[in-house]
Amino acid sequence: LKNLFQIASRIKLDDDVIIHAQRPDWLVPFSTKKNKKIVTLHGSHLKNVYLKKGFLIGKIYSKLEKKGLEVADKIISVSEENTTFYYGMYKKYPEIYKKFVIIPIGINLDGLKSINKNESRKKYGFKKSDKIVIYVGRLEKEKNLKFLIKLCHDIKVKLLIVGDGREKAILKEFARILGSNTIFYGETDNKNVYEILGCADVFALTSLYEGLPTVLLEALAVGLPIISTNVGDVNKLVVNGKTGFIVNGTNIHSRLKLILKNPSKYRMNCINKSKEFLWDKIGGKIIDQ
C-alpha cells in the first residue's frame, strides 16, 4: 500500500485508463485520480485482517476498505456470499452497495490441451497406484490446512500441497510430528497448474471462508472432483455426487473415501461444469462494466 501511494503520486494516466484493483484499499492511493475505478472482491479481506492481525489493525483496515469502496465506480464481487457480507457491512451506505455487481471468475484452458494423468504422475514422481489428494493455494491460517493434513493422515492417502505462505513452516512441522504422507511442493508457475493438478485424484478445500477460488475451476477443468467445506459460492461448483461433495466435520472422511474409490466417474461432470466459466463468457461481462 505504501508503494502504491508512491506510484500514484508520480504516475500520469490518460483519461481513458481504467484503474482496476483486486483489494479495496489498493484504490485509496488513486482516490484523487479522475479515472474510472473498479475493484474486484475475491473474498473478504477484512475477515483476513481481523483473523491475522487482531482487532486494532482490523479497525484501521476497515476504514481504508470503506474509503476504497467509496471511490470505486463499480464493485465486482465474485460470489453471492461475499456480496451479502458486504451488503451487511455497508447497508447504511447505499452509495456503496448500489455499485455492486456479481460476476464469477473465469478460466483460460490454454494450458490444458495435453494433460495426461500417468505422464503427470511420472514427471512429479508419483506411482500410478497412489491415492493423491491435492491442495493448491496460499498457506494461510484461514485455509485450515492442519485439518486437511490430519484428515489425509487418518485415511492414509498422500496429500500434495502446492503453494506458499506464512503458515508453511508451521504446517511442515505439524506434518512431520504427525508422520503424515504430506508433500510440500512450493509455488508453481501458472502455466504448470493444470499439469500438477493432473497428478491428483481429488482436490480438497477445507477453508474457513472463501469467495470463489479460481483453482477450483481449474481442478474441475482437469476432471478432478472437489471435496470442500461450504464456503463462498463453492456450492455452485460442487454438485453432491456429481462433481464432488460439500462436507462438514462429521462426513468429510466418508465422502473423501467414496471419491477415492472411483474418482474417474466424476470426470466428465467436472469438465462440463468448468465450461460454464470459460473466460470468453465471463470476460465480456467485466468489459461491459
Side-chain angles (χ1 to χ4, degrees), residues 126-170:
F126 297 109
K127 300 175 183 177
K128 289 183 180 180
S129 59
D130 284 337
K131 296 293 185 183
I132 302 172
V133 177
I134 193 170
Y135 165 82
V136 180
R138 294 178 294 112
L139 311 190
E140 301 290 348
K141 192 172 183 179
E142 70 273 14
K143 302 300 181 180
N144 200 21
L145 290 171
K146 279 187 178 180
F147 177 83
L148 181 57
I149 292 170
K150 179 68 164 57
L151 168 67
C152 292
H153 171 72
D154 288 346
I155 65 173
K156 296 179 172 56
V157 296
K158 288 186 176 181
L159 172 61
L160 175 57
I161 294 180
V162 182
D164 206 348
R166 283 170 284 195
E167 292 276 298
K168 185 175 183 178
I170 295 170

Side-chain angles (χ1 to χ4, degrees), residues 1 4-5 21-30 39 41 45 49 61 63-69:
L1 188 59
L4 282 176
F5 272 106
Q22 306 299 310
R23 272 173 40 177
D25 55 312
W26 289 351
L27 280 185
V28 176
F30 300 93
V39 61
L41 304 173
H45 195 66
V49 175
Y61 175 78
K63 295 184 182 301
L64 281 168
E65 180 176 86
K66 180 173 176 290
K67 177 66 175 177
L69 295 176

